[in-house]
Amino acid sequence: MAKTLFEKIWDKHVVKQIEGGPSILYIDKHFIHEVTSPQAFKGLEKRGLSVFRPQQVVATADHNVPTLNQHLPIKDELSRIQVQQLIENCKKHQIELYGLGHPFQGIVHVIGPELGITQPGMTIVCGDSHTSTHGAFGTIAFGIGTSEVEMVFASQCLMQTKPKLMRINIEGELNKGVVAKDIILYIIAQISASGATGYFVEYAGSAIRSLSMEARMTICNMSIEMGARGGMIAPDETTFQYIKGRQFAPSGESWNQKVQEWSALFSDTNAVFDQEIHIDATAIQPMITYGTNPGLGIAINGFIPIAESIPDEGERHTIQKALQYMGLESGKSLLGLPVQHIFIGSCTNSRIEDLRQVALLVKGRKKNAHVQVMIVPGSQQVSKQVQAEGLDKIFQEAGFEIRQAGCSACLGMNEDKIPAGEYCISTSNRNFEGRQGAGARTLLASPLTAAAAAITGVVTDVRELM
Amino acid sequence: MDKITAIQSRFVPMPIENIDTDQIIPARFLKATTREGFGKNLFRDWRYSDDDESQPKADFVLNHKIYNGEILVAGKNFGCGSSREHAAWAIKDYGFKVVISSFFADIFKDNSLNNGLLPITVSDVFLQQLFQLSPADTLTVSLEAQTVCIDKSGQKESFEINSYKKTCLLNGYDDIDYLINMRAAIEQFEQQVA
């Protein structure tokens, strides 16, 4: 019988199917971080249990870490305690921790792939909704809550109901200035912030096949922003080349065997999806969001919708509330809007390729005097690569500030926050009210669009600078 | 986990769509290492001006004592965004036992079920009817019968729930008990695939 990519992986991981209920799904890799794991460790200990398969768990500290002076103790007491708790829990349960100061430390969804831990065909979970990032390698990867983190600690399994399956086909060549972030912002704007709830999404088509692994990760990363449990892309030669030679990648004879196994991971020609969507890549322009959910995005040269003319009452209220929060007006263009902050980072866009794109655009240019620009590499390894390639010099000469690895200003949890009422063009994944700090106004965009605004100080069509 | 049975209560209406978990509990309150006490910061930035508890926002429903009860009724796509289970903990800790909406985000729904907080999906039409009721009106939720009833009119709406999850909630079982008992079968599975 013809199977989808998802079904091929899912079927291999079902330990037991409960009648009239969920499946018991085996989990290959479990990533953890400091924010969503402490209560799970406590729960486990309360039951007198140890971690069932500690060697399949990998930990890092990312959400709650400062991005300056990481060699010093964390100033905020609660953050320090939480990070310390992770260190103690990992030690107690013999879990590998890439904590602050470790050369592998970084954002959990950046380090898994770059270390070669993430491999095609795996099931991967983490107490973080952007776990979908790992789907770029042809894995079933999804975010879970803390109770589920505890379940995986206790049994290396989860109780899961099989989701519905959606395939999004993107065909055609991308326009100048259009990168992966624009593709995913375009898709979410088309199908809305809840358009894929209940589904697991496979991205396919010539536009996807032509993308690098970094770009594929950006796309899969934001699957959750349209409600999808996860997103995935069938592995191919691009995937294998990316993995080959990485720290924990298979090698020697085992490499050839793995590549053969991985090569069978694709949706069969006659495989059936519950929903299929077709997108013309040539219709995609550089994108930017104007509202307070990631589905409220427009082409950079487009106009904010006229809220009053939207027939659906709920949607109208959503947009009116968003525009009020954002201090923006119906029917207007965003081009020329002065911004105060540029944040280039997060699990969506902090990989070496993102930073190379930014460097290429800003080389020989200077930032506008009225903006603060923060570049936060996704991991220590990305930081090292930035230096090795001399990108740091380009950024410094442009007046950009380069920080140390972490989630930083993506989520308003650590020290990096955007002040109330100010605008930030951010390469992160969420523009929710207060996401980057109470009252902060976030405009989501690609690293290229963010870099363009850094130079001009206003929302800019990057194609004018290319 | 707490058992859920029948609940009769007033409800708090929140006719806003796409309420994300960053609104339910902002990230700066996720620094605790225990599950308790998150209710204090539920909808923090919608409840207070300038993060100051002495300045409640007059237009926010939780700041009106007339609206109360163990049931939260919210617009569609409730709980979208971050997977933080702290959102379910905060709602439960504040005193809610049931959340009713016409559409829930997947992870939030799972997190709620894992904490004895019952997410109930109703039709858009029924949801709008709930928003039309007065603050004194009560609802009766029966998990056993899988119904929500508007007590004043007797109007009833049925809801779906996975039979396995229903059994868990009615008895206060959690998945983890089940999984721990499965360890032998899991080990066998590991040997087969190795």
Side-chain angles (χ1 to χ4, degrees):
Chain A
M1 207 186 92
K3 280 186 178 182
T4 63
L5 167 62
F6 180 91
E7 288 164 332
K8 286 179 183 177
I9 302 171
W10 175 276
D11 291 352
K12 272 197 175 160
H13 288 83
V14 174
V15 175
K16 187 187 168 188
Q17 174 67 49
I18 300 168
E19 222 167 297
S23 303
I24 297 178
L25 188 73
Y26 191 79
I27 302 303
D28 294 318
K29 283 287 171 213
H30 184 196
F31 292 105
I32 62 168
H33 61 78
E34 74 279 19
V35 180
T36 57
S37 67
Q39 292 88 351
F41 279 113
K42 279 210 170 85
L44 196 70
E45 281 160 20
K46 217 167 120 187
R47 292 170 200 265
L49 295 169
S50 54
V51 174
F52 186 55
R53 293 287 178 255
Q55 288 186 333
Q56 285 166 248
V57 189
V58 176
T60 192
D62 55 4
H63 283 65
N64 217 344
V65 302
T67 56
L68 283 176
N69 298 317
Q70 289 184 344
H71 62 290
L72 298 177
I74 300 175
K75 280 187 237 159
D76 181 85
E77 193 192 355
L78 291 175
S79 301
R80 190 173 64 246
I81 292 171
Q82 202 174 53
V83 171
Q84 185 58 35
Q85 188 101 63
L86 181 71
I87 296 170
E88 286 163 20
N89 284 330
C90 287
K91 201 171 161 192
K92 197 188 294 177
H93 294 277
Q94 281 127 37
I95 291 168
E96 187 79 65
L97 167 66
Y98 304 134
L100 278 183
H102 194 286
F104 294 165
Q105 181 267 338
I107 304 175
V108 64
H109 311 309
V110 174
I111 68 167
E114 82 180 358
L115 291 171
I117 298 170
T118 301
Q119 294 169 18
M122 284 181 166
T123 48
I124 297 176
V125 295
C126 175
D128 190 289
S129 60
H130 294 112
T131 308
S132 57
T133 311
H134 306 265
F137 292 79
T139 68
I140 293 182
F142 55 93
I144 56 176
T146 298
S147 295
E148 292 171 312
V149 170
E150 188 180 333
M151 289 171 208
V152 183
F153 280 160
S155 67
Q156 204 57 36
C157 285
L158 278 176
M159 314 280 268
Q160 287 289 304
T161 305
K162 193 174 157 188
K164 289 182 285 183
L165 301 178
M166 178 189 290
R167 180 160 61 186
I168 301 180
N169 304 282
I170 306 135
E171 300 285 353
E173 275 193 37
L174 295 174
N175 290 312
K176 181 181 158 189
V178 172
V179 290
K181 184 63 161 288
D182 302 305
I183 300 176
I184 191 64
L185 285 174
Y186 179 85
I187 294 171
I188 304 167
Q190 294 285 310
I191 75 169
S192 91
S194 59
T197 302
Y199 288 90
F200 217 95
V201 174
E202 180 180 342
Y203 302 94
S206 61
I208 296 293
R209 294 258 75 84
S210 71
L211 296 175
S212 68
M213 287 317 295
E214 283 89 347
R216 293 179 190 185
M217 284 189 253
T218 298
I219 291 186
C220 289
N221 171 275
M222 289 189 72
S223 302
I224 182 74
E225 311 312 337
M226 51 187 174
R229 200 61 204 271
M232 67 202 308
I233 294 171
D236 58 11
E237 201 48 39
T238 305
T239 320
F240 309 149
Q241 285 309 317
Y242 177 96
I243 298 171
K244 198 173 184 180
R246 290 185 184 266
Q247 193 81 22
F248 298 104
S251 57
E253 195 36 48
S254 149
W255 169 258
N256 294 333
Q257 197 193 324
K258 281 288 178 192
V259 169
Q260 204 178 351
E261 270 175 44
W262 297 342
S263 300
L265 296 172
F266 54 86
S267 288
D268 296 330
T269 314
N270 297 323
V272 179
F273 290 82
D274 298 288
Q275 198 181 341
E276 289 227 47
I277 290 174
H278 297 275
I279 283 173
D280 172 11
T282 63
I284 307 173
Q285 306 294 322
M287 296 287 293
I288 191 160
T289 65
Y290 62 87
T292 52
N293 76 57
L296 302 180
I298 50 173
I300 191 91
N301 51 6
F303 299 91
I304 297 170
I306 296 170
E308 294 67 31
S309 67
I310 292 168
D312 182 81
E313 196 187 335
E315 200 185 332
R316 187 166 67 244
H317 283 163
T318 297
I319 293 181
Q320 283 170 334
K321 189 169 182 289
L323 291 179
Q324 194 183 8
Y325 179 84
M326 293 295 292
L328 297 171
E329 280 177 56
S330 275
K332 294 274 171 68
S333 165
L334 285 170
L335 289 172
L337 176 80
V339 296
Q340 293 77 43
H341 303 269
I342 308 289
F343 170 60
I344 297 173
S346 89
C347 57
T348 313
N349 281 124
S350 64
R351 296 178 182 83
I352 189 66
E353 185 185 87
D354 300 313
L355 305 187
R356 283 183 193 139
Q357 283 174 0
V358 171
L360 198 64
L361 190 85
V362 305
K363 193 173 183 180
R365 291 175 160 137
K366 291 233 180 302
K367 77 167 182 75
N368 179 279
H370 303 289
V371 291
Q372 287 187 327
V373 186
M374 193 156 71
I375 296 208
V376 188
S379 70
Q380 303 294 342
Q381 297 217 95
V382 173
S383 290
K384 231 172 100 183
Q385 189 66 22
V386 162
Q387 285 164 18
E389 295 182 19
L391 307 184
D392 53 334
K393 303 247 168 18
I394 297 173
F395 296 144
Q396 277 155 8
E397 278 163 23
F400 293 9
E401 188 184 5
I402 312 170
R403 296 287 189 100
Q404 291 169 298
C407 296
S408 186
C410 173
L411 84 164
M413 174 163 200
N414 49 67
E415 293 169 4
D416 304 343
K417 293 188 181 87
I418 306 302
E422 298 190 5
Y423 289 103
C424 177
I425 298 206
S426 177
T427 68
S428 57
N429 39 57
R430 290 188 172 134
N431 50 2
F432 298 148
E433 286 182 29
R435 172 74 180 184
Q436 296 194 285
R441 292 164 164 171
T442 304
L443 306 160
L444 299 175
S446 76
L448 279 181
T449 298
I455 306 297
T456 61
V458 297
V459 175
T460 300
D461 187 333
V462 66
R463 292 169 292 195
E464 288 168 15
L465 300 184
M466 292 176 98
Chain B
M1 201 168 70
D2 300 338
K3 286 184 195 180
I4 296 182
T5 46
I7 290 162
Q8 184 179 40
S9 166
R10 287 187 180 191
F11 67 97
V12 176
M14 223 173 265
I16 302 167
E17 295 184 356
N18 304 305
I19 295 178
D20 59 79
T21 54
D22 274 84
Q23 308 317 313
I24 298 171
I25 181 101
R28 63 185 188 278
F29 300 110
L30 307 185
K31 297 185 182 190
T33 55
T34 62
R35 290 172 182 245
E36 294 78 33
F38 289 100
K40 180 174 175 288
N41 297 313
L42 177 68
F43 293 111
R44 178 78 189 201
D45 293 334
W46 285 358
R47 258 162 95 184
Y48 305 113
S49 295
D50 302 324
D51 203 11
D52 181 351
E53 282 169 47
S54 65
Q55 290 189 63
K57 288 186 181 174
D59 61 350
F60 188 58
V61 67
L62 289 186
N63 293 327
H64 292 270
K65 291 237 155 35
I66 187 169
Y67 294 104
N68 56 65
E70 297 178 324
I71 302 169
L72 177 63
V73 181
K76 74 174 175 195
N77 200 23
F78 186 81
C80 60
S82 160
S83 59
R84 58 190 69 166
E85 192 163 314
H86 312 67
W89 298 337
I91 292 170
K92 186 112 190 284
D93 189 55
Y94 186 87
F96 292 113
K97 290 180 175 162
V98 174
V99 186
I100 298 176
S101 179
S102 57
F103 196 85
F104 287 94
D106 291 330
I107 306 179
F108 177 81
K109 195 181 347 182
D110 287 351
N111 286 341
S112 299
L113 290 167
N114 284 331
N115 284 281
L117 175 69
L118 180 63
I120 296 179
T121 307
V122 296
S123 66
D124 278 317
V125 174
F126 189 74
L127 187 72
Q128 293 313 319
Q129 283 171 353
L130 296 182
F131 288 141
Q132 304 304 322
L133 297 174
S134 73
D137 288 329
T138 58
L139 307 177
T140 298
V141 170
S142 168
L143 175 58
E144 187 72 61
Q146 295 179 218
T147 54
V148 182
C149 180
I150 300 170
D151 294 326
K152 183 171 66 176
S153 62
Q155 195 188 347
K156 255 185 201 168
E157 170 108 341
S158 296
F159 63 88
E160 298 281 323
I161 185 167
N162 177 309
S163 63
Y164 164 81
K165 274 290 171 197
K166 182 177 172 178
T167 310
C168 287
L169 289 173
L170 286 170
N171 296 292
Y173 301 152
D174 43 27
D175 285 359
I176 201 160
D177 298 326
Y178 190 100
L179 288 168
I180 292 161
N181 288 324
M182 286 289 297
R183 273 185 171 191
I186 294 165
E187 273 173 17
Q188 206 180 359
F189 174 87
E190 286 175 326
Q191 279 157 15
Q192 277 166 10
V193 296

